[in-house]
Amino acid sequence: MLILGIVGGEKSLDEGAATLWLNEYNHLASSVYNERVQASWNYYTNLTDHNQHLMVKAELVFSRFEQEAYRNASIFDWKKMNNETIKRLMKTISYMRLPEEEVKQTENLRNRITQVYSTAEVCGDGTDRCLLLEPDLQNKFAESKDWDELSRLWKGWRDETGRKMKSDYEAFVKLQNKAAKLNGFDDNGHRWRAKYETEDFPQLCEKLWNQVSPLYVQLHAYVKRQLKKTYADNIDGFPDGGHIPAHLLGNMWGQTWDNIFDLVVPFPDKQTVDVTSALQQQKYNATAIFRLSEDFFESLGLDPMPEAFWEHSMITRPTDREVVCHASAWDFYNQNDFRIKMCTEVTQESLLTVHHEMGHVHYFIMYKDQPVMFRRGANSGFHEALGDLISMSVVTPKHLQLIGLLEESPEDNETELNFLMKRALERLSFLPFGYLIDQWRWSVFSGETDIDSYNRKWWELRCKYQGISPPVSRSESDFDPGAKFHIPNNTPYIRYFISSVLQYQFQRELCNISGHTGPLHRCDIYGSKEAGTKLRNMLMLGQSKPWPDALEQLTGQREMDATAIIDYFRPLMEWLKEQNAGHDLSWEEECPHGSFTSGSNSLISTMFSLLLPVIYIVLL
Ligand SMILES: *[C@@H]1O[C@H](CO)[C@@H](O)[C@H](O)[C@H]1NC(C)=O
Ligand SMILES: *[C@@H]1O[C@H](CO)[C@@H](O)[C@H](O)[C@H]1NC(C)=O
Ligand SMILES: *[C@@H]1O[C@H](CO)[C@@H](O)[C@H](O)[C@H]1NC(C)=O
Ligand SMILES: [Zn+2]
């Protein structure tokens, strides 16, 4: 690391010296980052103790490098400089680490909690072997229509995960807050939100949610009625307050609902586009699916994948070693090595995942000439949005026909409504879940919610936003947030909510640019160089500018706006309104009475819930 000869005395305001230092930092950082990524890659694609050891070693080298960079950077009084680029770069470097002992404590806690989560199994219905989340429990939730079985597994998963990590989680929160405060943040939630560079970020999220919630409410009401038909024998299990029991939605967390498509399909006799069998009949393999995706991006004028991508990526499950199959995209920070790790199967779902991951890689390629610290999405939501944006075109019947995966494009309204219902179950159902996870965490980090109300707060949000309630009574001995991967793993989550909004906003604009007319959900931007140029200009910025600049580059707007979601689903919205006419669209904001048992305060809270029945109503 370059050390400047300024010891003690005044901090430097010399922008020339700062630029030199930053260049040197950038040079060193790209090789330190590269080695760190290389070590992780080696472990994730070949799970041996030896490789894990090397990965931890590289992580320590990395963290010492960052700590030293921090000390060096503090020689400069960069906050008082005029050059915005220098200030922005310095800001990303200036993050102080906790003392090494506490860094280790933090890592140990995280590893322990993640371990609890990733080794959890649900046992004990007498006959079966124990069930893992992937694939056993996921398959059960996708396929079973047995109320009691689902309820037992739902509870079992939470007994085996969250319940076993609650106090560790509290300690983990405290350490993270300590690190955040060291750097001038109020708490760790504040630190996470600050990355969005938005005055009142929670308020922005609430605004976006309010734009889409009328559509969610319609979907919720319709799905609930269909579920009541399916589970007519268990009708007493549906709470009076209008919530949907959380175990019936085809997913362990009720976060996406596409697995119950068969229960809610608007026109069961009409076709529903799914190209899995066409892919298999046409003998697609992993390479061919990746080439298909590459071709889409190229049609927009974006770059083909470099040779190194094809040489080094892992796109099928190897047979000679253990690997982490969870799909991911990797930037090696040397401007030519970008990879995907994925155990690709030949299905429609895989086709979409490939596009999602390829989106990340295209972002890497577009911002590769930025300084290392700017090689990020304009915000994390942008990075997640790119590939999903492309998928939106790919799944249109028009496009599937173009690439020979669909014989004739069915164009009647009923088929179209089936298509939109499927998309809504995949994407729209996710929005309140994507929104509430970090609301819970922000509240925990700020101390507003302490360990005595972790679970109560969680269910308050689940009942209020998703309109779902626990199938069995909960208490503070449970810790249901811990049953979702991103809480123990400590991955911020609001990015997926932001991405869900941005991808429609991008799509609406790119469709205009590409000359599309007609309903938004039919738009396919394939082959539009104009759309590609717009996209390219935005992606190239990386994080060198605040996200509103990047958004403006593409859409001409500086504000995120969820109305494109409403535009996309408009025909479905109209249809749902007709179906729901005369039915109750509301659910109570509070969780159903008796779904949560607390300790000594229960009398008081019961009185409150009787006195203040707040009703969540959407006016039509
Ligand atoms: C600001 O700093 C950056 C990087 O240090 C440099 O490339 C750029 O030329 C500077 N801008 C101005 C206006 O001096
Ligand atoms: C996996 O890693 C081990 C080192 O732990 C190495 O000996 C082996 O060759 C690697 N396997 C492959 C296929 O790269
Ligand atoms: C897919 O098939 C092609 C030839 O048809 C072959 O070259 C390629 O290696 C295959 N890819 C995989 C991942 O098996
Ligand atoms: Zn992603």
Side-chain angles (χ1 to χ4, degrees):
M1 172 65 55
L2 185 76
I3 303 283
L4 294 167
I6 311 169
V7 180
E10 295 286 294
K11 285 193 170 200
S12 170
L13 276 168
D14 183 343
E15 296 194 351
T19 299
L20 280 177
W21 184 83
L22 283 166
N23 286 343
E24 181 69 10
Y25 170 83
N26 188 47
H27 182 68
L28 292 170
S30 50
S31 88
V32 176
Y33 274 60
N34 177 266
E35 276 162 34
R36 177 193 192 214
V37 176
Q38 188 74 57
S40 302
W41 173 271
N42 289 346
Y43 175 64
Y44 277 82
T45 60
N46 182 7
L47 295 169
T48 67
D49 288 346
H50 179 65
N51 290 343
Q52 186 183 33
H53 175 73
L54 293 180
M55 179 177 74
V56 172
K57 227 170 113 182
E59 192 61 37
L60 269 180
V61 171
F62 173 76
S63 124
R64 288 187 192 133
F65 171 79
E66 290 287 273
Q67 184 66 9
E68 197 179 331
Y70 165 78
R71 273 203 298 271
N72 273 261
S74 58
I75 288 165
F76 297 102
D77 202 358
W78 53 269
K79 283 181 186 156
K80 294 213 186 94
M81 292 181 181
N82 295 317
N83 184 318
E84 285 303 323
T85 307
I86 294 180
K87 283 159 82 167
R88 218 172 152 70
L89 284 165
M90 285 290 187
K91 197 167 132 197
T92 62
I93 295 168
S94 299
Y95 189 73
M96 207 191 307
R97 261 80 188 157
L98 287 172
E100 215 158 272
E101 199 41 48
E102 284 175 316
V103 171
K104 274 190 205 148
Q105 268 178 36
T106 314
E107 285 309 301
N108 285 342
L109 281 167
R110 187 221 290 265
N111 288 342
R112 206 151 79 203
I113 309 172
T114 305
Q115 180 99 1
V116 168
Y117 184 93
S118 39
T119 57
E121 294 181 315
V122 178
C123 311
D125 70 342
T127 53
D128 281 327
R129 64 190 171 86
C130 297
L131 304 180
L132 288 165
L133 178 65
E134 292 180 63
D136 310 319
L137 293 169
Q138 286 185 348
N139 290 342
K140 284 282 188 196
F141 272 80
E143 286 151 21
S144 174
K145 302 285 186 284
D146 178 339
W147 178 290
D148 293 331
E149 179 185 44
L150 288 169
S151 177
R152 184 179 69 77
L153 297 176
W154 187 95
K155 177 174 182 298
W157 176 248
R158 283 153 181 82
D159 287 347
E160 294 305 317
T161 54
R163 266 178 106 98
K164 296 187 171 172
M165 62 173 78
K166 192 170 178 180
S167 61
D168 272 353
Y169 188 78
E170 188 196 26
F172 185 48
V173 164
K174 284 190 174 144
L175 280 164
Q176 289 185 80
N177 275 341
K178 194 168 175 191
K181 284 176 183 163
L182 197 60
N183 289 283
F185 297 104
D186 298 340
D187 61 74
N188 196 52
H190 183 206
R191 179 168 87 85
W192 282 4
R193 290 191 303 275
K195 292 189 198 295
Y196 285 87
E197 304 181 285
T198 302
E199 185 80 36
D200 192 345
F201 185 59
Q203 194 187 2
L204 168 62
C205 295
E206 185 70 12
K207 181 197 99 174
L208 296 172
W209 167 243
N210 285 332
Q211 287 179 318
V212 293
S213 65
L215 180 50
Y216 178 76
V217 168
Q218 295 285 346
L219 182 68
H220 180 280
Y222 183 73
V223 166
K224 182 173 64 190
R225 273 208 317 287
Q226 298 306 105
L227 286 171
K228 282 185 169 177
K229 286 182 201 160
T230 305
Y231 293 97
D233 292 347
N234 302 89
I235 200 74
D236 293 344
F238 286 83
D240 296 337
H243 304 92
I244 298 177
H247 61 315
L248 306 181
L249 292 160
N251 177 281
M252 179 59 88
W253 309 275
Q255 69 176 65
T256 49
W257 305 350
D258 38 314
N259 284 326
I260 58 161
F261 181 67
D262 56 331
L263 306 185
V264 303
V265 55
F267 301 98
D269 300 333
K270 289 290 178 155
Q271 187 187 353
T272 303
V273 174
D274 187 294
V275 298
T276 298
S277 60
L279 285 167
Q280 289 167 357
Q281 270 161 21
Q282 295 181 30
K283 305 259 180 298
Y284 268 83
N285 65 9
T287 315
I289 294 179
F290 273 80
R291 288 289 182 191
L292 196 61
S293 175
E294 181 185 43
D295 174 69
F296 196 111
F297 285 95
E298 271 193 82
S299 86
L300 301 176
L302 298 182
D303 300 345
M305 290 293 117
E307 258 326 293
F309 173 85
W310 298 107
E311 263 169 48
H312 298 308
S313 286
M314 184 199 97
I315 63 171
T316 52
R317 183 199 281 271
T319 51
D320 59 345
R321 56 193 193 267
E322 278 196 69
V323 302
V324 175
C325 268
H326 192 93
S328 52
W330 299 61
D331 182 356
F332 283 69
Y333 293 98
N334 64 2
Q335 300 176 307
N336 59 46
D337 196 348
F338 314 98
R339 306 181 193 176
I340 286 174
K341 174 182 69 58
M342 179 173 170
C343 302
T344 315
E345 290 174 55
V346 182
T347 62
Q348 166 149 344
E349 199 189 334
S350 248
L351 180 71
L352 301 187
T353 307
V354 167
H355 284 83
H356 178 91
E357 301 305 335
M358 286 291 253
H360 286 307
V361 175
H362 276 283
Y363 219 144
F364 300 154
I365 292 177
M366 284 295 109
Y367 59 48
K368 71 183 168 57
D369 295 324
Q370 293 283 352
V372 168
M373 300 316 288
F374 289 161
R375 291 184 213 164
R376 299 175 190 177
N379 66 41
S380 318
F382 280 64
H383 226 303
E384 296 302 332
L386 178 56
D388 288 1
L389 163 78
I390 300 301
S391 290
M392 229 181 284
S393 290
V394 173
V395 297
T396 59
K398 179 181 158 206
H399 187 79
L400 293 174
Q401 206 183 10
L402 181 79
I403 58 180
L405 288 174
L406 198 65
E407 277 186 3
E408 60 181 298
S409 171
E411 278 190 348
D412 61 288
N413 290 343
E414 299 184 345
T415 309
E416 198 150 86
L417 285 165
N418 281 355
F419 169 78
L420 282 173
M421 177 62 88
K422 184 130 186 282
R423 297 294 291 163
L425 297 177
E426 285 166 354
R427 303 275 178 207
L428 188 68
S429 63
F430 174 75
L431 284 159
F433 186 78
Y435 179 28
L436 72 83
I437 299 259
D438 279 353
Q439 283 196 67
W440 180 82
R441 256 189 308 211
W442 296 338
S443 158
V444 165
F445 282 132
S446 77
E448 179 201 317
T449 296
D450 65 13
I451 188 163
D452 297 327
S453 46
Y454 276 179
N455 215 32
R456 171 179 293 282
K457 177 71 180 181
W458 175 257
W459 280 105
E460 273 175 26
L461 294 165
R462 296 264 275 168
C463 291
K464 175 180 172 185
Y465 287 101
Q466 281 185 287
I468 70 177
S469 60
V472 289
S473 179
R474 313 309 287 157
S475 77
E476 284 304 338
S477 321
D478 301 303
F479 180 54
D480 295 328
K484 171 69 192 166
F485 174 80
H486 300 70
I487 300 291
N489 191 251
N490 207 37
T491 312
Y493 209 76
I494 198 74
R495 62 181 58 169
Y496 300 108
F497 175 73
I498 296 296
S499 160
S500 304
V501 171
L502 282 174
Q503 55 194 257
Y504 291 90
Q505 196 175 353
F506 293 165
Q507 178 75 347
R508 184 165 62 185
E509 187 58 29
L510 293 179
C511 290
N512 279 339
I513 292 168
S514 71
H516 172 78
T517 54
L520 185 56
H521 66 271
R522 279 191 213 150
C523 168
D524 171 17
I525 61 171
Y526 184 81
S528 170
K529 297 285 187 289
E530 295 81 3
T533 303
K534 274 280 187 185
L535 207 47
R536 172 186 281 272
N537 290 341
M538 180 184 83
L539 300 176
M540 279 172 62
L541 290 175
Q543 210 180 40
S544 64
K545 296 273 162 47
W547 66 260
D549 292 2
L551 185 61
E552 189 174 22
Q553 181 82 250
L554 182 71
T555 66
Q557 299 164 300
R558 297 186 60 82
E559 306 219 348
M560 291 191 215
D561 174 7
T563 57
I565 300 181
I566 304 290
D567 286 351
Y568 184 93
F569 287 107
R570 194 173 303 283
L572 182 68
M573 176 76 157
E574 296 308 317
W575 184 82
L576 284 171
K577 276 187 191 169
E578 283 167 27
Q579 304 303 308
N580 289 333
H583 291 279
D584 201 355
L585 287 180
S586 58
W587 66 84
E588 285 179 14
E589 182 169 321
E590 307 246 324
C591 287
H593 184 61
S595 63
F596 202 90
T597 53
S598 62
S600 52
N601 289 330
S602 65
L603 182 62
I604 297 173
S605 52
T606 307
M607 281 171 58
F608 265 103
S609 68
L610 291 175
L611 288 170
L612 305 166
V614 186
I615 310 285
Y616 191 67
I617 294 179
V618 174
L619 299 172
L620 295 176

